[in-house]
Amino acid sequence: MKTFNLGTPLLILVILLVTHCLGTEAQVCRPSGSIRGRNPPPGECNQENDSDCCVEGKLYPVYRCSPTVSGNTKAVLTLNSFQAGGDGGGPSECDNQYHSDDTPVVALSTGWYNKGRRCLNDIIISANGASVRAKVVDECDSTMGCDGDHDYQPPCNNNIVDASKAVWKALGVPNDQWGELDITWSDA
C-alpha cells in the first residue's frame, strides 16, 4: 500500500504563499497613464526654486496612487513656495490660503494626499539627522499638469513631499543643496 506524504506538497504551497505575500507587499505604484506636455505661454511658468516647465510633446507619467504609508515612508522632498506669487501657483487646496515660506507646510503626492483626508494634519519629516513637524496644506498633483492650473509644471511623481523653505531650514539642509532630498515621513 502506498502512503501519501503531505510534507512536500504542503511545503511547496507554503513557499508559494509566502512568495505571493512578499510580492504583494513589495508592489509599487505604477503610472496610470501619461499626459503630453505643452509649452507654457511666455512668462506663465514660474521657475522659482528651479521648478521645471513642461516641454512641448514630452510625455509625463501620471499616478493615481502613491507607495504605501508606513511609520517610515520613503519619499523625495522638493522645494515649493506656498506664498502668493510663489511657484506653488494658487492658494493651498486644503484651506484656500497662501502660507509664508517661514511656516513648515507641505503638499503631498495625490495618493498620499488621499482626496484631502490628510488636510491640515501634521506629518513628521526626517532627514539629515533631524526631524520637523509640518502641516499638510496642499496636493502635489500626480494626475494632472502642464496647464495654467498647475503653473505649466509637469505632474508630481507619486513619492513627493513638496515643502516650504521652513522645512528645509529645520532639517538643517544648506541652502545650496535645496531642491531634492531623500527623506522619510510619517503621520504625526
Side-chain angles (χ1 to χ4, degrees):
M1 173 191 274
K2 279 190 170 181
T3 59
F4 185 70
N5 184 351
L6 257 154
T8 303
L10 188 59
L11 179 62
I12 291 171
L13 181 61
V14 168
I15 289 171
L16 288 173
L17 281 172
V18 168
T19 303
H20 174 74
C21 290
L22 289 175
T24 301
E25 182 67 29
Q27 283 182 348
V28 294
C29 172
R30 303 203 187 284
S32 52
S34 62
I35 61 169
R36 189 169 301 280
R38 298 180 307 191
N39 281 337
E44 291 294 313
C45 181
N46 185 337
Q47 290 188 288
E48 177 184 13
N49 300 320
D50 295 323
S51 295
D52 291 330
C53 294
C54 291
V55 175
E56 184 74 34
K58 181 175 179 179
L59 288 178
Y60 296 95
V62 295
Y63 299 88
R64 287 182 169 49
C65 56
S66 290
T68 304
V69 174
S70 67
N72 220 16
T73 307
K74 291 182 179 182
V76 175
L77 190 71
T78 55
L79 180 60
N80 187 41
S81 176
F82 296 85
Q83 295 186 151
D87 64 333
S92 296
E93 197 68 31
C94 293
D95 58 6
N96 202 35
Q97 302 289 314
Y98 291 100
H99 298 271
S100 166
D101 286 339
D102 298 324
T103 304
V105 293
V106 298
L108 297 177
S109 293
T110 297
W112 290 336
Y113 180 73
N114 198 11
K115 299 178 183 168
R117 290 187 185 98
R118 284 198 168 84
C119 271
L120 306 179
N121 290 329
D122 288 350
I123 65 171
I124 306 295
I125 300 165
S126 300
N128 222 28
S131 293
V132 60
R133 188 180 198 106
K135 186 174 298 300
V136 176
V137 297
D138 209 349
E139 174 184 14
C140 192
D141 199 337
S142 305
T143 65
M144 308 264 303
C146 298
D147 57 18
D149 288 345
H150 298 90
D151 207 25
Y152 294 96
Q153 296 173 9
C156 282
N157 284 329
N158 66 341
N159 64 338
I160 299 296
V161 175
D162 205 17
S164 65
K165 292 177 181 178
V167 170
W168 287 83
K169 287 178 187 173
L171 291 173
V173 180
N175 291 26
D176 64 345
Q177 294 176 21
W178 289 7
E180 287 192 3
L181 179 67
D182 289 335
I183 62 159
T184 59
W185 72 274
S186 63
D187 291 308

